[in-house]
Amino acid sequence: MNELVKLSVHSDIAVVTIDNPPVNALSPGVPEGLAACIADAVANPATTAIVVIGAGTTFIAGADIREFGKVVAGTTKPVDLPAIIRSIEDSPLPVVMALHGTAFGGGFEVAMGGHYRVIAPAGKIGQPEVKIGLIPGAAGTQRLPRLATDFAVAARMCVFGEPIGAKAALAAGLVDRIIDGDLLEGALAFAREIASQPFVKIREREAIISDPTIFHQLHTEATRTRRGQEAPLAALESVRNSSLPFDEGCRLEREIFVRCLHNTQSKSLIHAFFGERTVAKIPDIPKETPTTTIRRAAVIGAGTMGGGIAMNYANAGIPVILRETTQEALDKGLGIIRKNYANSVKKGRFSQEEMDRRMALITPQLTWDGFEHADIICEAVFESLALKKEIFATLDAIAKPDCILATNTSTLDIDEIASATKRPEAVIGHHFFSPANVMRLLEIVRGKATSKTVIATSMALAKKLGKIGVLAGNCRGFIGNRMVHVYLREAQFLAEEGGTVEDINSTLYDFGMAMGPLAMTDLAGIDVGWRIRQESKHLEKSGVRRPLISDRLYEAGRWGQKTGAGFSKYDENRTPSADPEVVRLIEEVAAAAGITRRQISREEILDRCMFAMVNEAAKILEEGIAIRAVDIDIIYLNGYGFPAWRGGPMFYADTVGLDKVLARVEEFEKVHGSEFWAPADLLRQLAAAGKKFTA
Ligand code: NAI
C-alpha cells in the first residue's frame, strides 16, 4: 500500500484501487503497491475475492514510457513486473480485474494476472507496444494466446498493436463480462458470484493454434504493412513461443524485449511519441494565452486543398462556407467531397446519416455572403501572391474584427500577404498537406505580426480538427517545403549525374520513405513544381546550377502520374515502370549542361538526399524558424512520409553521428560547391561538441 494504490473493504470483497493520475500508468510504486495490497487482502480471513480497479477515467493505461529511457541509460533498475503479475496470479483468492478506459500494454498484462476480467462497454484493451518499437514485456505474448479462444486475435493484437473494444474482447474470451452501469458495483456483484468457485491461472492453460498457417500470414502482412519495422516481427516470434512451456516462452520474451528496448527503432519511435506532445508547447505562448472559439468557418477555393480543408471543419462539426469563382469549379470540388465521404460510408467508417450531416455543414457558394460571421477564413486559391493579396484585402473589408485570416500557401511570404490587410496580427499560415482531409500535419506559420491569441487558437484548432499542429516561422517553404526543396533538388541532380530514376527512388524507399523523391515529384505533379518556379524566377541566382530535367519533362507534357508519364511511365493502375524516353531526355539535358555522367552508388544517393535536408534543417533551427529539432521531425513524420522508426531527419542524423554527417557534407561541398553544401554553423558546433540535435 502506498499513495498510488489503495486497499478498501466492501464487506467480504477487497477492492484495490490504482490512483496514479492522469492515466494510472505503471510508474515506480504502482506495481509494488498492487502486490502489497493483494497480499494484505489475502491476509484478511474475512475476504473471499479481490477486485482491482482504476480510479478516474481508466484502468492502467500502460507503462510509464519515460522509464524505458532510464532503463536503457542504466539510471533506473526496473521493478520485476512479470514477477509481480505472477504473484497476483498466485493469489489463493480469485482476483477480478475491472477494466474501463484503456487497459493497454503493461496495463493489460496486469489484467491478465487476474483470474477474471470484467469491462465497461466503452473500455478498450490492447498490446500497443509495437507502436513504440517494443513487444509486450511482462508475459503479454505468453498469456494473451493462452487466454484467447481465437489465437489469431491474440497474435494480431501483439503484432499490430491495434486495440479492441469490449464486445470484441468478450467474443475472443479476453474478458468475462461487460458491465453496464457502475463498474465497481458490477465488478463486486461479479466477484460475489464467482467467489466460491474454483478458478484457473492463465499461465497454466495451453495456447491452441488451430491454424498453423497464421504465422506465415501475419509475417507477410506485417512485412507489407509495417515495412522496415522490427518490432512487429519480433512480437510474432514471441507469440509463436507461446506453444513452449510458459516459463521458457517468458524467458525468450524477455530476451526479445530487451533486444528491442536497446535498438535504435524503439528509441526513434519513443522520440516520435513524446515529440507529438512536445510540439504543442510554444515557449513564448503560455498555456493561459486567451483563445477565440471557432464556431463558424469559411474556405476560399474548392480545389485540391480547399475541398479537403472544408471537410476537416465539417468532420469536427464546424459549419463551413466553401467559396469558388465559378459554378463549374464549385460543382467539381463538391463532387470530390461527396465521393470521399461516400467512400468512407462504403468502408463502414461512418453511416450515411453521418455523411449527410457532414455534407449539410458545408455551404457551397459563389458569393461572400456570410463571411462576416466567420470566426476563421482559410484561403486556398492558386499559389499566386498577387491573387492572394487581392483576396486578403477583400477579407480585411468584410471579416469581423477577431476573425482569423489563414492562408494555405505552401511557399509564399506570410508577411507579404498580411501587408494587404490593416490587421496583420490576424493573419497566419495554415499549411495543410495533401490530401488535406487525411494527412495529420498542420504546419502553422506565424508572421512577424501574428498575435499570440491567433497562434494559440490555431494550435487548439489543429487538435480539434484531429491534426498535429507544428509552429513554424515565416520563410520560403517554411520548415517542411524548404527542406523538401533541397531533397528533391539533390534527387534531380543525381539523375542528371548518372543515377537511374529507379535507383534513386528505391534507395529512399528502402530507407523507409513512403515513396522515392522522383515518385513524389510525379505524384505532386511536375506542372505544379513548374508553376512554383515561374512564381519565383526572380529569386534564381544566375550562374548557379539548377535542376534542368523537370522543365524538360514539363515541356514534353510529362506532368507525372496525372498524364501517365513523368520521371516514370504509369499504367492505368498508376503502377510505375522505367521509361527509356526519360533516360534519353536526361542524357540530353546532362550533355547540354556539360555534366559528365557516372555510376552513382546507393550510399551517395541516400547521403546526398538526406544530408542536404539535414543541413538545411540545421539552418532552419539556427534561424529560429523551427522551435526545436523535434518539431522538424514531427513535420517530416506526419507530412512527408518519413519512417517513424527512424525518428525523423534530425533524429536520424543523430543516430548516424553529427561528426559523420558533417564530414559527408564537407565532402559534398568540395565537389558540388558551397552554394548548396556550406555546412550550417549549428551542425559544425554540435559536431565539434559531440552533441546531438535532439538531446
Ligand atoms: P487548385 O488549383 O486545386 O485549387 C485552387 C482553387 O481555387 C481552384 O478551384 C480555383 O477555382 C479557386 N480559386 C481561384 N481564385 C479564387 C477566388 N478568388 N475565390 C475562390 N476560389 C478561387 O490548387 P491547390 O492545389 O488546392 O492549392 C491551393 C493552395 O494550397 C495553394 O496556395 C497551394 O500552394 C497550397 N497547397 C497545395 C498543396 C497541394 O499538394 N496541392 C499542399 C499544400 C498547400
Side-chain angles (χ1 to χ4, degrees), residues 253-536:
E253 181 192 83
R254 182 106 307 243
E255 266 182 33
I256 299 170
F257 175 81
V258 170
R259 191 177 82 205
C260 289
L261 187 62
H262 287 270
N263 77 13
T264 308
Q265 291 203 355
S266 68
K267 290 178 196 149
S268 307
L269 287 160
I270 290 173
H271 164 74
F273 176 87
F274 286 120
E276 283 195 15
R277 284 144 190 85
T278 306
V279 294
K281 298 182 188 125
I282 303 165
D284 69 328
I285 302 185
K287 272 213 302 259
E288 314 71 66
T289 306
T291 55
T292 49
T293 309
I294 305 295
R295 292 196 186 86
R296 294 197 189 102
V299 172
I300 310 174
T304 310
M305 296 306 291
I309 297 170
M311 286 175 78
N312 286 325
Y313 283 109
N315 295 347
I318 301 170
V320 54
I321 295 170
L322 182 57
R323 179 185 191 269
E324 257 297 343
T325 41
T326 66
Q327 191 61 43
E328 193 191 347
L330 194 57
D331 291 345
K332 187 173 165 214
L334 216 62
I336 293 170
I337 294 176
R338 197 171 290 117
K339 205 169 105 199
N340 283 337
Y341 276 144
N343 264 336
S344 295
V345 172
K346 214 158 77 194
K347 287 185 182 146
R349 289 209 193 103
F350 47 76
S351 64
Q352 181 63 46
E353 295 73 55
E354 179 59 24
M355 165 172 166
D356 297 344
R357 199 184 62 78
R358 293 185 192 193
M359 283 304 294
L361 285 169
I362 303 174
T363 308
Q365 63 184 46
L366 300 174
T367 66
W368 295 107
D369 292 352
F371 271 65
E372 68 280 13
H373 300 304
D375 301 300
I376 182 165
I377 301 171
C378 185
E379 165 279 313
V381 303
F382 306 126
E383 187 75 337
S384 147
L385 185 61
L387 175 60
K388 290 193 196 261
K389 284 178 83 165
E390 186 190 316
I391 287 178
F392 273 74
T394 305
L395 294 181
D396 194 25
I398 57 177
K400 62 179 185 172
D402 63 347
C403 177
I404 294 180
L405 306 181
T407 168
N408 184 49
T409 178
S410 37
T411 49
L412 298 172
D413 184 342
I414 304 291
D415 293 331
E416 187 64 34
I417 294 173
S419 74
T421 73
K422 286 190 253 358
R423 43 171 134 172
E425 68 283 356
V427 178
I428 191 162
H430 279 191
H431 184 208
F432 287 86
F433 286 70
S434 179
N437 53 315
V438 176
M439 297 293 283
R440 279 182 81 205
L441 180 64
L442 178 59
E443 195 177 20
I444 296 173
V445 191
R446 76 195 286 179
K448 62 174 188 279
T450 311
S451 80
K452 291 186 178 181
T453 289
V454 167
I455 296 170
T457 306
S458 297
M459 294 297 289
L461 179 66
K463 215 170 180 183
K464 181 144 196 216
L465 300 183
K467 307 281 173 194
I468 302 177
V470 183
L471 190 65
N474 181 29
C475 66
R476 190 171 169 74
F478 320 125
I479 298 174
N481 281 349
R482 178 165 157 189
M483 285 165 65
V484 94
H485 177 75
V486 298
Y487 171 75
L488 298 179
R489 175 198 75 205
E490 284 308 308
Q492 295 184 36
F493 280 174
L494 285 158
E496 291 169 3
E497 290 164 33
T500 67
V501 170
E502 292 67 40
D503 264 359
I504 294 166
N505 279 335
S506 71
T507 299
L508 275 306
Y509 179 81
D510 292 346
F511 171 83
M513 301 298 288
M515 65 184 80
L518 301 176
M520 184 175 163
T521 308
D522 278 353
L523 178 65
I526 286 175
D527 56 322
V528 173
W530 183 84
R531 252 185 226 109
I532 292 175
R533 284 195 295 285
Q534 303 314 301
E535 272 283 311
S536 58

Side-chain angles (χ1 to χ4, degrees), residues 101-164:
T102 49
F104 284 178
F108 192 60
E109 288 174 304
V110 167
M112 286 190 290
H115 309 101
Y116 301 94
R117 278 146 300 281
V118 296
I119 191 167
K124 283 191 177 147
I125 61 172
Q127 297 287 169
E129 287 85 347
V130 289
K131 296 196 173 175
I132 51 166
L134 299 173
I135 69 162
T141 64
Q142 303 305 300
R143 282 201 181 84
L144 190 49
R146 285 174 164 82
L147 174 62
T149 47
D150 183 346
F151 183 85
V153 171
R156 294 191 74 84
M157 283 174 73
C158 293
V159 173
F160 298 112
E162 298 304 337
I164 64 171

Side-chain angles (χ1 to χ4, degrees), residues 22-35:
V23 294
N24 294 324
L26 284 169
S27 318
V30 172
E32 299 89 326
L34 253 174

Side-chain angles (χ1 to χ4, degrees), residues 146-199:
R146 285 174 164 82
L147 174 62
T149 47
D150 183 346
F151 183 85
V153 171
R156 294 191 74 84
M157 283 174 73
C158 293
V159 173
F160 298 112
E162 298 304 337
I164 64 171
K167 274 193 190 144
L170 185 68
L174 305 182
V175 299
D176 302 283
R177 183 176 292 172
I178 297 175
I179 307 279
D180 291 310
D182 187 79
L183 179 63
L184 180 59
E185 287 306 315
L188 287 170
F190 181 89
R192 290 200 173 97
E193 281 173 42
I194 53 87
S196 57
Q197 290 173 17
F199 54 86

Side-chain angles (χ1 to χ4, degrees), residues 563-577:
T563 57
F567 279 98
S568 303
K569 243 187 333 204
Y570 295 88
D571 66 14
E572 59 283 6
N573 301 318
R574 300 203 166 198
T575 309
S577 58

